Amino acid sequence: QVQLVESGGGLAQPGGSLRLSCAASGSIFSINVMSWYRQAPGKERELVATITRDDITNYADSVKGRFTISSDNAKNTVYLQMNVLKPEDTAVYYCAAYYVRTGSYSWGQGTQVTVSS
């Protein structure tokens, strides 16, 4: 089992920045891919960014060039640096760990990001 704890959410102005953190503990050796998802009110959860063990990254088109996913293996932490924030980035952001062997996910509890002037 892996436990994921997100932090770093909050209120930002349009054009501002926030950095989210996701600290992993437990059987982290079994994780193949770490991801950030988000869910806005009334909308489905959507994939924002992923990073593999080989540091290969992918982004949703809506955040390319503005968001950066990275990992610090020594701290067992994944980050999401969010720049040039827009009101449409407002959502609850979730960290997720994916296990190729089982095809399953572990999820964090989520952290609220609100972009508003």
Side-chain angles (χ1 to χ4, degrees):
Q1 282 284 7
V2 171
Q3 294 76 44
L4 303 172
V5 179
E6 301 102 332
S7 61
L11 175 65
Q13 292 189 339
S17 299
L18 285 173
R19 188 176 81 156
L20 306 183
S21 299
C22 173
S25 60
S27 302
I28 59 174
F29 61 88
S30 59
I31 300 173
N32 299 104
V33 181
M34 292 293 296
S35 302
W36 286 96
Y37 286 77
R38 67 185 181 187
Q39 187 166 20
K43 295 188 176 181
E44 293 186 354
R45 190 172 297 189
E46 65 172 350
L47 179 63
V48 176
T50 64
I51 186 167
T52 70
R53 282 192 168 274
D54 297 326
D55 288 335
I56 297 171
T57 59
N58 276 293
Y59 299 91
D61 287 343
S62 59
V63 306
K64 278 181 181 177
R66 300 188 298 122
F67 291 10
T68 302
I69 188 171
S70 62
S71 64
D72 184 335
N73 294 330
K75 295 182 179 179
N76 297 328
T77 301
V78 174
Y79 304 96
L80 185 67
Q81 178 67 44
M82 305 185 295
N83 298 328
V84 195
L85 283 163
K86 303 176 181 180
E88 51 263 44
D89 294 319
T90 296
V92 177
Y93 283 70
Y94 297 91
C95 177
Y98 177 69
Y99 314 94
V100 171
R101 182 179 178 184
T102 60
S104 62
Y105 290 84
S106 293
W107 294 91
Q109 80 286 355
T111 184
Q112 177 70 47
V113 170
T114 302
V115 183
S116 175
S117 55

